[in-house]
Amino acid sequence: MGLLGETKPVKKPILGVSLYPEQESMEEIENYLTMASRYGFTKIFTSMFSVPGTKKEVFDYFKNFCDLAHKHGMKVSGDCNTAFFKKMGASESDISIFKEMGIDIIRMDLPYFDQRDVTLINNPYNITIELSSCMIQAVRMALENGANPKNFSTCHNFYPERYTASDLESIRSINKELANLGIPSAVFISSNEDNTHGPWPVHDGLPTVEDHRWIPAELQVRHWIAVGDVDEIIFGNAFASEEEFKAIDQVMNEAYVNIPKLVGQDYLAELLPHGDVERVPFKVILDDGVTDLEKEILFDNVYHQCGETPYYMIRSRWTRMFYGKKSIPERKIDEEYYHRGDVVIVNDNLAHYRGEVQIVLKDMMVDGQRNRIGHIPEADHILLNEVKSGRGICFLK
């Protein structure tokens, strides 16, 4: 996104859920898809090779499954392996049976690591082929050998066993390379509901990143938005709760907004970025005594954009331009320092910067030039290191 004027195109991540048909009734599946689709979820990850039965029984099951998913406007990604291909009479050069079932995406549990990957990806049925994101060598080889990048995506793994999931930096590095190659990537988040399940009888969540295992689902989503280079975010375990869906829906509605171009007003208004905008949403716990004007500046300002590379603070560049002529009297606090995560607004004692919203990153002396509005909860501190120069942020009410 540029510092001024119309923003670059913003790609909103696709949201998805996972289903494990061998453990769920069709009634449970339909109820879940009805709820998930209501909150903007449009993809289903499911394991195909774990469903028992003959070729015809498996075919009939997934034909009904896909029909149900499509009724709710959702695409189906079926996790497969070569043994399942053989069972269904398919091969890398003939996946027509998947088209007949209605499968939209085939996720290969393991790639071939040769020209067969290219043949599979370049299939004539408009079925997207999804490889494991960690198999980056196979991704490179497929592209070098002529795979159509428009029919090709990747998905990271999930990890049912505690302490076995990836670290964030490893995933970030892979996603950055995939973004440079033009190949989409998906990650898994984890519901924290009791008695959720995956493909195995383990109930400790199914995230891609270990540090996400026990934090709220909506915070996992906000973290991935802040990290960037993620095209799809999928619940790895089932069933997530309606409360989790509602919280994620609120995050997405706050993170992705359209700002109209303001014409014929103050020239500063015309400089405000407009168009589709991505904002990293922060929660904030307000202090007592915060004024209505301070709340307006914090919550109702359409766009907080970070200034130069943050060191002591994250600065919202625009609020002082629109509120700099308003009076913001000093409110004293009986503390010597502001601490990491404190949210402050510059007051009348530094009139040139009055109205600027700042999030403290390192201890700063309380000098009377800023009013503390509140603080970012400790759990949200994982977002602070991800907000770089030029990023948009917002605050959840």
Side-chain angles (χ1 to χ4, degrees), residues 282-300:
F282 283 92
K283 287 186 175 179
V284 59
I285 300 172
L286 295 179
D287 284 357
D288 293 333
V290 175
T291 67
D292 289 341
L293 176 60
E294 290 169 331
K295 292 176 184 177
E296 177 185 333
I297 294 171
L298 189 69
F299 294 120
D300 297 341

Side-chain angles (χ1 to χ4, degrees), residues 93-349:
S93 58
D94 181 7
I95 56 172
S96 56
I97 193 168
F98 290 93
K99 182 69 174 179
E100 294 169 20
M101 281 189 283
I103 295 294
D104 303 288
I105 303 160
I106 296 174
R107 184 187 189 273
M108 293 301 292
D109 195 42
L110 284 173
Y112 290 104
F113 284 102
D114 58 31
Q115 194 64 30
R116 287 173 291 180
D117 289 329
V118 179
T119 302
L120 188 58
I121 292 165
N122 293 345
N123 71 84
Y125 303 106
N126 200 33
I127 296 177
T128 299
I129 304 302
E130 193 169 78
L131 300 185
S132 173
S133 302
C134 64
M135 304 289 184
I136 194 70
Q137 183 181 359
V139 174
R140 295 192 203 105
M141 288 174 60
L143 289 173
E144 291 168 1
N145 291 325
N148 180 2
K150 294 182 179 179
N151 206 34
F152 186 8
S153 64
T154 66
C155 181
H156 286 280
N157 293 325
F158 51 52
Y159 298 86
E161 185 182 356
R162 295 185 190 190
Y163 308 118
T164 62
S166 297
D167 67 289
L168 177 62
E169 290 309 312
S170 297
I171 303 301
R172 189 202 305 267
S173 175
I174 292 169
N175 286 353
K176 191 175 291 292
E177 179 171 356
L178 289 168
N180 289 336
L181 293 171
I183 303 299
S185 60
V187 295
F188 288 99
I189 61 170
S190 191
S191 167
N192 284 306
E193 287 297 294
D194 293 335
N195 299 317
T196 58
H197 61 269
W200 304 285
V202 181
H203 307 284
D204 289 329
L206 284 176
T208 290
V209 168
E210 186 62 43
D211 289 342
H212 284 174
R213 192 174 296 276
W214 304 117
I215 67 175
E218 58 84 20
L219 178 53
Q220 296 174 58
V221 171
R222 288 191 286 130
H223 195 204
W224 282 122
I225 291 170
V227 170
D229 289 333
V230 171
D231 300 279
E232 300 180 5
I233 302 172
I234 305 169
F235 269 117
N237 51 349
F239 297 107
S241 68
E242 185 161 14
E243 289 71 23
E244 289 175 316
F245 283 123
K246 284 180 179 178
I248 290 172
D249 186 51
Q250 181 193 10
V251 166
M252 298 300 284
N253 289 335
E254 292 289 344
Y256 298 95
V257 296
N258 183 276
I259 300 177
K261 185 174 183 179
L262 302 177
V263 180
Q265 301 186 34
D266 184 281
Y267 82 98
L268 290 175
E270 296 192 17
L271 295 178
L272 185 74
H274 56 273
D276 290 331
V277 167
E278 179 189 74
R279 312 183 299 181
V280 178
F282 283 92
K283 287 186 175 179
V284 59
I285 300 172
L286 295 179
D287 284 357
D288 293 333
V290 175
T291 67
D292 289 341
L293 176 60
E294 290 169 331
K295 292 176 184 177
E296 177 185 333
I297 294 171
L298 189 69
F299 294 120
D300 297 341
N301 187 65
V302 293
Y303 191 61
H304 296 282
Q305 187 181 44
C306 300
E308 291 76 14
T309 304
Y311 180 44
Y312 268 88
M313 66 178 74
I314 295 169
R315 302 171 64 190
S316 173
R317 303 157 63 94
W318 294 100
T319 50
R320 76 171 188 262
M321 298 181 184
F322 294 103
Y323 293 94
K325 294 181 182 179
K326 302 276 188 179
S327 177
I328 305 176
E330 177 188 358
R331 279 188 296 103
K332 296 182 181 295
I333 60 171
D334 188 23
E335 295 185 32
E336 188 176 357
Y337 290 94
Y338 300 117
H339 303 292
R340 182 175 177 83
D342 282 348
V343 181
V344 300
I345 288 181
V346 177
N347 62 34
D348 291 343
N349 295 338

